[in-house]
Amino acid sequence: MREAPASKEIPLPDRESVCRQICEWVKSLARGESRRRPSFMSPYANQIVEAIASYHEQLQREQKHLELVDRFLVRLQEGRSLHELLDYIFNNFGDFVPFDRIGFSLIEEENPDIAVAIYMRLREGTPCLNVGYRADIRQSSLKWVLESGQPRIINNLEEYFLTHPHSVSTQLVLQEGIRSSLTVPLVAFGRAVGFLFFSSKQPNTYNDEHAALLLRLGRKLGIALEKANMMDRLFIRTEQVRQLANMASHDLRNGLSLIEGYLDVLEKGADPAVLGSREEIISRMRKACNEGMALVSDIMDLARADARCLRVRKSLVDLPSLVRERVEFHRVRLNLKHLSVHIESQELLPTLEADPILIGRVLDNLLSNAIKCAPPDSTINIVLSFDDNKCTVSVRDSGPGIALEAQKDLFTCFPRITRFGPQPEISSVGLGLAVAKELVMAHGGQIGVRSLPGEGSTFWFSLPRKGDVTPLTTAESG
């Protein structure tokens, strides 16, 4: 390496003086003093000062980043909700990463190809891409973000949309005035949990430094947000269990009270004829017992499914035969309402690997609901088909239909059903469809509903011809 000419070298005493001034300045930086940066005649000395100053500024930024995350984690430990944590990001991250909009989407646990918008907030204006927006990410660049674990920067969304014209989410954020975006994958406990979106109304907003910062924070944020989301779900689940206990105990008490009332009358020696015929009394008491036993079975199945210990004993199942068997099981109820059942089956329907008892329970639930909702003297249509290596069973009634806003809650433990026209007979707890969903999902299948005002309802479920006992996707309405 060529040395500088001797005439330009700093004399030794001056070098010692420069080093002493630099050391004193560095010590002042360590003490947090706002001391003016020294300047020297030597360009080499000034380069050293510049490098130290740049490194010190970087350390200060990183220290502020750490303090920001520490305050974030303190809020997590305080038990703040998911939305409170996201609001904290919105209110405090602007000094580090510029944005006009922040969004957060979760990957569905049961269907990792679907991302659901959980949080969307703009500094100004009304969001066009709202909370609840669901997107299939299989054909999206978000899939690459998850697989690579790397952030995605799009600094010109208008250009991006020209090459991705089918991206509905891009179209929606462009309507909000957004022109650039930075997307960070969030990972917790070894799996991708979602995305954090920073968006700006200015093009060319984001750079690698912003991406690197958010990527460094991404793991902590992912764990924190996942924990907060788990706490929210736990709170909801606890409230659901409390409601279920109250409603189930109410239903069981009603049935037991009816039986107890009959027994009291008979015990006191009253004439049983005042209560009806012997056959009527036995029928009512048996119905109360059967409803109570069915409710207990539903609760047990839900508990087993929730604990992932629902046992599925698979064997070869002839689906058309199983359907006809369950229809005959309901023959008495069908006759009481003068209902007929038309079964349409695709030719050469293959046998399934399934648990005939559990799938029989699913069929019983759908048939029971159809019988309740179908008007007298009408027909219930059952269609069996095979496509894409799965068998589908559809049960259609010609009842009044189900309100669209209620369809998304039908497969939960506490559906609030709004039907068009007179309200048919409905169980107060309404666990049947929730149990059916769990039984179908335990076979790796899907379940859903299609319903329009005045056109009845079609409940359907599909099962893979073969497959592991693993849930593949959530139930969908459509």
Side-chain angles (χ1 to χ4, degrees):
M1 183 175 179
R2 182 179 296 177
E3 296 183 358
S7 59
K8 294 185 179 180
E9 289 184 354
I10 302 174
L12 187 58
D14 289 343
R15 288 180 177 177
E16 292 178 354
S17 174
V18 167
C19 289
R20 186 166 47 252
Q21 291 182 60
I22 292 177
C23 288
E24 290 176 357
W25 173 63
V26 170
K27 291 178 182 179
S28 72
L29 293 178
R31 293 192 297 267
E33 299 174 359
S34 57
R35 188 168 174 177
R36 185 175 179 179
R37 180 188 308 181
S39 178
F40 305 99
M41 294 294 295
S42 168
Y44 303 109
N46 287 330
Q47 288 178 17
I48 293 173
V49 170
E50 180 64 30
I52 293 173
S54 177
Y55 183 63
H56 178 66
E57 290 173 0
Q58 181 181 344
L59 288 177
Q60 285 185 315
R61 286 197 301 271
E62 290 183 355
Q63 180 63 32
K64 290 180 180 179
H65 299 163
L66 291 173
E67 291 173 355
L68 183 67
V69 175
D70 286 343
R71 292 195 297 270
F72 181 84
L73 294 177
V74 167
R75 281 160 174 76
L76 172 65
Q77 294 169 355
E78 291 173 349
R80 302 294 182 94
S81 71
L82 177 62
H83 276 69
E84 286 178 314
L85 292 173
L86 291 166
D87 281 338
Y88 176 80
I89 293 175
F90 189 91
N91 294 327
N92 292 276
F93 274 51
D95 291 338
F96 305 98
V97 182
F99 65 86
D100 293 294
R101 177 186 186 276
I102 282 183
F104 173 63
S105 292
L106 276 177
I107 300 297
E108 287 189 345
E109 289 186 26
E110 296 162 340
N111 190 348
D113 293 324
I114 300 296
V116 183
I118 303 299
Y119 179 93
M120 294 292 170
R121 185 173 171 185
L122 278 168
R123 291 195 187 278
E124 296 180 357
T126 303
C128 296
L129 197 162
N130 290 302
V131 170
Y133 176 80
R134 300 174 79 252
D136 189 328
I137 65 172
R138 283 176 292 184
Q139 304 301 320
S140 163
S141 57
L142 290 178
K143 188 71 172 178
W144 174 86
V145 173
L146 279 188
E147 293 175 348
S148 68
Q150 297 299 312
R152 180 193 68 176
I153 295 176
I154 302 176
N155 269 326
N156 192 325
L157 280 168
E158 290 178 309
E159 280 188 5
Y160 178 83
F161 186 63
L162 291 177
T163 57
H164 299 78
H166 300 297
S167 175
V168 177
S169 57
T170 303
Q171 182 179 12
L172 292 174
V173 297
L174 283 173
Q175 292 174 13
E176 297 173 358
I178 299 299
R179 293 298 178 266
S180 56
S181 69
L182 168 58
T183 305
V184 179
L186 300 181
V187 178
F189 312 115
R191 72 175 186 89
V193 296
F195 306 94
L196 191 61
F197 303 93
F198 281 70
S199 307
S200 171
K201 293 185 176 181
Q202 300 298 321
N204 303 311
T205 297
Y206 300 107
N207 55 42
D208 290 341
E209 183 178 350
H210 297 136
L213 166 62
L214 290 182
L215 194 60
R216 288 199 300 271
L217 300 179
R219 183 168 178 81
K220 292 182 179 179
L221 291 176
I223 294 174
L225 292 173
E226 176 67 359
K227 284 184 176 180
N229 186 51
M230 290 169 62
M231 292 173 63
D232 286 354
R233 292 200 302 265
L234 179 61
F235 175 81
I236 294 171
R237 191 64 171 172
T238 302
E239 181 62 19
Q240 287 180 337
V241 170
R242 186 190 66 79
Q243 292 181 37
L244 176 59
N246 289 339
M247 297 169 69
S249 61
H250 176 268
D251 281 9
L252 290 172
R253 191 180 296 113
N254 283 345
L256 292 173
S257 296
L258 182 143
I259 296 172
E260 185 181 33
Y262 282 129
L263 292 175
D264 283 344
V265 171
L266 296 174
E267 188 177 42
K268 292 176 182 178
D271 183 3
V274 300
L275 303 176
S277 67
R278 177 178 178 276
E279 290 75 15
E280 289 174 338
I281 294 173
I282 292 176
S283 176
R284 292 167 190 161
M285 294 175 70
R286 188 177 298 280
K287 180 181 178 183
C289 288
N290 289 340
E291 289 178 349
M293 292 174 64
L295 178 58
V296 171
S297 296
D298 285 346
I299 293 173
M300 293 301 296
D301 280 345
L302 281 176
R304 293 189 188 102
D306 196 47
R308 297 294 187 265
C309 59
L310 182 66
R311 297 190 65 181
V312 180
R313 297 177 175 87
K314 286 189 173 185
S315 62
L316 292 179
V317 175
D318 179 23
L319 195 56
S321 297
L322 182 60
V323 169
R324 287 192 293 269
E325 173 191 313
R326 302 325 298 166
V327 169
E328 289 306 312
F329 177 80
H330 293 272
R331 181 59 62 188
V332 173
R333 294 183 61 203
L334 289 164
N335 291 341
L336 287 174
K337 291 187 69 173
H338 305 285
L339 298 174
S340 60
V341 176
H342 176 71
I343 301 175
E344 179 183 338
S345 180
Q346 181 177 323
E347 292 184 7
L348 302 177
L349 201 68
T351 56
L352 291 177
E353 288 185 1
D355 188 320
I357 295 177
L358 298 185
I359 298 305
R361 290 197 63 191
V362 175
L363 289 167
D364 285 343
N365 181 269
L366 301 192
L367 280 167
S368 180
N369 285 343
I371 292 169
K372 291 176 183 178
C373 299
D377 302 303
S378 63
T379 299
I380 295 173
N381 292 285
I382 302 176
V383 178
L384 291 79
S385 60
F386 178 73
D387 187 28
D388 294 332
N389 208 33
K390 68 177 184 295
C391 291
T392 301
V393 179
S394 299
V395 180
R396 176 178 173 78
D397 64 71
S398 52
I402 303 170
L404 183 61
E405 63 272 13
Q407 292 181 26
K408 59 182 174 60
D409 296 324
L410 281 175
F411 299 94
T412 66
C413 293
F414 315 103
R416 296 293 182 261
I417 303 175
T418 302
R419 299 179 187 272
F420 301 95
Q423 184 82 348
E425 175 193 358
I426 298 176
S427 171
S428 58
V429 177
L431 293 179
L433 288 174
V435 173
K437 171 188 171 182
E438 295 295 340
L439 300 183
V440 169
M441 290 177 60
H443 285 76
Q446 297 175 286
I447 189 168
V449 61
R450 296 185 294 270
S451 186
L452 292 173
E455 297 186 14
S457 301
T458 299
F459 285 87
W460 59 269
F461 68 92
S462 62
L463 301 172
R465 183 180 179 184
K466 295 183 179 180
D468 297 329
V469 183
T470 306
L472 296 182
T473 185
T474 56
E476 294 184 359
S477 299

